Amino acid sequence: MKKHFTKACLLFAILISSAAHAADVGVSVQFGQPGFYGSFNMGDFQQPRLIYREPRIIQQVTVVQPPMYLIVPPGHANNWSKHCRRYNACSRPVYFVQESWYNNEVVPRYRHHDRKDRHQKKHHGRGNGHGHDRDD
């Protein structure tokens, strides 16, 4: 009986640790949040501070594509040939944006814009009590 109890406790511990590990895997950081890595559209942002002046390209192609602006974890830009597949960017010119520029310029602006959108939805959204959203 004691043997079965010990096995059950061990199995329970494994299941709990697996569930905790699975919960960590589902965490994602979206554009506009610190810690975001990936490409972004420059839009109306000022020219970002770059890690390298010239774009990096790993595979030469006959069809020239526009450059991508990427924010990558430390070390990815230095060893780009190893990491470019993850970003689907081996055959594109890539400018690596300094993470400090992103955190100081993009994140605050995005947060301000996001707060403004939520405020407008809250005060100007459907169901404001004026009857304009009903089909009579």
Side-chain angles (χ1 to χ4, degrees), residues 116-128 130:
K116 194 168 142 183
D117 283 351
R118 282 186 277 152
H119 177 77
Q120 286 178 341
K121 286 179 186 176
K122 182 178 176 182
H123 295 289
H124 302 291
R126 294 177 55 101
N128 59 12
H130 298 292

Side-chain angles (χ1 to χ4, degrees), residues 7-131:
K7 285 183 181 179
C9 287
L10 180 62
L11 181 60
F12 181 74
I14 291 171
L15 288 173
I16 293 296
S17 67
S18 296
H21 179 68
D24 290 342
V25 173
V27 174
S28 66
V29 177
Q30 297 180 2
F31 179 78
Q33 296 177 324
F36 168 81
Y37 296 117
S39 66
F40 73 98
N41 184 341
M42 286 297 296
D44 60 348
F45 286 104
Q46 295 179 15
Q47 179 66 32
R49 286 182 303 198
L50 303 172
I51 295 173
Y52 303 114
R53 257 188 241 184
E54 298 297 320
R56 303 288 183 194
I57 187 165
I58 300 302
Q59 297 173 349
Q60 296 296 329
V61 293
T62 56
V63 178
V64 178
Q65 296 182 24
M68 293 175 72
Y69 288 86
L70 285 175
I71 305 152
V72 297
H76 282 211
N78 293 338
N79 197 359
W80 186 233
S81 63
K82 178 181 175 183
H83 300 287
C84 64
R85 284 167 202 63
R86 179 181 296 175
Y87 301 90
N88 195 26
C90 293
S91 60
R92 293 190 65 175
V94 173
Y95 287 104
F96 297 103
V97 176
Q98 290 181 10
E99 193 171 0
S100 60
W101 177 86
Y102 170 79
N103 287 330
N104 295 327
E105 299 292 327
V106 176
V107 171
R109 187 170 160 188
Y110 187 82
R111 284 183 179 164
H112 174 75
H113 181 71
D114 189 44
R115 271 192 234 116
K116 194 168 142 183
D117 283 351
R118 282 186 277 152
H119 177 77
Q120 286 178 341
K121 286 179 186 176
K122 182 178 176 182
H123 295 289
H124 302 291
R126 294 177 55 101
N128 59 12
H130 298 292

